[in-house]
Amino acid sequence: MAQVKIYGIDHHLAEVRTVLSEAIHMAVMEALAYPEEKRFHRFFPMNSQDFIYPSDRSERYIIVEISMFEGRSAVTKRKLIRLLFERIAQHAYIEPNDVEITIYETPKHHWGIRGLPGDELTLGYKVDV
């Protein structure tokens, strides 16, 4: 399971929402061997006065937060981060300096999905990649 939250200035997110979602999902599928149909993205467009960021970032600055089951290797997570920077730049034209990524991992039993605790689910993909 991987849930993705994307924060940014409202009018900039609106311009790239579809291609940004596609870029993120391509990176997640490749790095995590994740199924195509498992896309869980939420966009949080913010007014510029509510989204404060350092002066060395542009108005296209975004924050990407990924919550997922624990179990992926450090190598896999580094691959995911590198692919996210690459794909977001290629498809959404947001430079790596304007992207920050945080990965949050929790045990499967901390999730509730389709009426079950996460550790009781039968998944169609591997977590230990």
Side-chain angles (χ1 to χ4, degrees), residues 61-79:
Y61 172 71
I62 61 170
I63 298 171
V64 178
E65 294 180 351
I66 302 172
S67 297
M68 61 185 187
F69 294 154
E70 65 183 359
R72 276 89 177 189
S73 70
V75 170
T76 296
K77 289 178 272 191
R78 282 193 289 274
K79 179 179 180 179

Side-chain angles (χ1 to χ4, degrees), residues 13-25 39 41 43 91-92:
L13 275 184
E15 294 171 356
V16 297
R17 182 179 342 230
T18 302
V19 294
L20 184 55
S21 178
E22 187 62 29
I24 290 169
H25 195 55
R39 184 186 310 217
H41 297 176
F43 286 84
H91 298 278

